[in-house]
């Protein structure tokens, strides 16, 4: 949680490569990986000053580690945040944010299109501490306003939604929240700060699953909470006591991942647009969900808050589950997995995997139809991705 090693006014690609790096006495060019659980002091007096917080410095790896600090500063610079605290995973970032800022009796208003584990966290774990959640329409700000109670302390959302890529209106929702002294936290995992910076549009806190695009190569889990220091400090206090902090090794992997973040996200997003356009032209495809297409019902809103449509494309094939599974089962290149944010393109059938545990009625109400497929576009040539999907769509033999 120290100063920027570089000018925070640099552009994103510069910050992604340079921000946060602090060199040791050895003058290493790459970021150093500090594998140590604790730190030593020069004297009893210094130990006392470090423990009391009177002197800034490392004490124990649950509190801080220089490699983790470099990751935090790099992500803070990219999000345009004053501060960032790293966590062991995306879920621990969301848990830390909630337990740092909410207490028994508090109330959350959340989007009804959140990552599945986030819904479980709110419904099955936070609920046990007396923190309740009301889920409302992702796209209708009037529902958010109507759900506010005197004890509402947090709006929580992610945009675009998974898998239907619906857009939540960040500016409208933050205006409503702030009129009632409510904090707004945005899970910015899908867009990354390269495509969308929620803090610039009024959000108070940004959370990340660094596991996805920040790593980008499917290697490690990580997470983070970004925002003004007065808010992240509470999250830090929770983390140093409760312990779900980021490991130094994972921070080091994530630092390397972030160096190519802009190149990857822009390339993957450009490919996703091409793939979405191609899918939209196929007679076997009933509908394509992609914010970068003019046919997306919220295309204009997406353009007003995202720099591009992102790398997630969903589409409905004609012929229900059998046709959707046929597409999945004919893939030789696309990986059949629910993960996303990787350089390797993935495909998933939400109705039977990520959304398989919810009732068929609730699934239908949420728009997760049996013919729906989600593709998280990677860096392979788009022509090869199209050929893989074309086989399952019955467009070519094999
Ligand atoms: C994956 C994901 C998470 C959870 O992150 P983990 O690192 O797996 O704990 C949270 N939000 C979104 C949008 C995700 O895609």
């Amino acid at each position: 949680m120290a100063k920027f090693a570089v000018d925070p006014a640099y552009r994103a690609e510069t910050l992604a490569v340079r921000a946060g790096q602090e060199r040791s006495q050895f003058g290493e060019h790459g970021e150093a990986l500090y594998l140590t659980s604790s730190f030593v002091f020069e004297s009893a007096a210094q130990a006392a000053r470090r423990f009391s917080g009177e002197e800034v410095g490392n004490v124990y790896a649950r509190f801080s580690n220089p490699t983790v600090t470099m990751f935090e500063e790099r992500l803070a610079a990219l999000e345009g945040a004053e501060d960032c605290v790293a966590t062991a995973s995306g879920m621990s970032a969301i848990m830390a944010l909630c337990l740092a800022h909410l207490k028994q009796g508090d109330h959350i208003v959340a989007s009804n299109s959140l990552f599945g584990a986030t819904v479980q966290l709110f419904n099955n774990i936070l609920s046990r501490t007396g923190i309740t959640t009301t889920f409302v329409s992702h796209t209708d700000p009037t529902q958010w306003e109507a759900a506010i109670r005197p004890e509402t302390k947090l709006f929580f959302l992610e945009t675009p939604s998974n898998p239907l890529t619906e857009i939540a209106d960040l500016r409208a929702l933050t205006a409503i929240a702030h009129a009632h002294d409510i904090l707004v936290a945005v899970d910015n995992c899908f867009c990354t700060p390269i495509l969308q910076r929620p803090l610039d549009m009024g959000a108070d806190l940004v959370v990340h699953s660094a596991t996805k695009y920040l790593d980008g190569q499917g290697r490690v889990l990580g997470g983070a909470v970004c925002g003004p220091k007065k808010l992240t400090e509470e999250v830090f206090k929770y983390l140093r006591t409760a312990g779900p902090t980021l490991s130094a090794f994972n921070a080091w992997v994530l630092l390397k991942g972030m160096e190519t973040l802009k190149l990857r996200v822009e390339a993957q997003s450009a490919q996703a647009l091409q793939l979405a356009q191609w899918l939209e032209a196929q007679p076997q495809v009933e509908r394509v969900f992609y914010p970068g297409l003019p046919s997306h019902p919220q295309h204009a809103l997406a353009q007003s808050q995202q720099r591009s449509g992102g790398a997630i494309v969903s589409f409905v094939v004609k012929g229900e589950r059998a046709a959707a599974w046929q597409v999945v089962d004919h893939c030789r290149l696309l990986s059949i997995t629910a993960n996303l944010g990787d350089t390797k393109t993935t495909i998933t059938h939400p109705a039977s995997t990520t959304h398989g545990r919810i009732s068929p009625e609730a699934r239908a109400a949420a728009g997760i139809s049996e013919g729906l497929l989600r593709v998280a576009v990677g860096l392979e040539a788009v022509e090869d991705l199209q050929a893989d999907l074309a086989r399952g769509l019955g467009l070519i033999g094999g």
Side-chain angles (χ1 to χ4, degrees), residues 11-16 75 78-79 188 190-198 208 213-214 258-267 269 305-308:
R11 287 162 183 80
E13 49 270 59
T14 309
L15 295 171
L75 186 55
L78 287 168
E79 283 289 2
N188 202 28
F190 271 41
C191 277
T192 83
I194 299 302
L195 301 185
Q196 172 173 280
R197 296 216 312 182
H208 272 284
Y213 293 98
L214 299 187
M258 283 157 82
E259 291 183 1
T260 56
L261 180 66
K262 187 163 189 284
L263 285 175
R264 283 186 284 107
V265 168
E266 287 181 350
S269 179
Q305 60 186 38
Q306 301 177 204
R307 288 187 47 219
S308 75

Side-chain angles (χ1 to χ4, degrees), residues 51-119:
F51 269 84
S52 73
E54 188 191 324
E55 178 180 307
V56 176
N58 297 295
V59 172
Y60 185 60
R62 178 152 37 78
F63 308 171
S64 67
N65 169 289
T67 312
V68 175
T69 304
M70 288 190 254
F71 164 77
E72 292 170 334
E73 293 195 357
R74 188 162 295 177
L75 186 55
L78 287 168
E79 283 289 2
E82 184 186 2
D83 193 40
C84 167
V85 287
T87 59
S89 65
M91 289 320 301
S92 51
I94 298 170
M95 181 184 66
L97 181 155
C98 291
L99 290 181
H101 285 285
L102 304 174
K103 59 179 189 320
Q104 184 179 16
D106 285 347
H107 175 245
I108 304 170
V109 180
S111 158
N112 63 9
S113 307
L114 289 178
F115 184 67
T118 310
V119 176

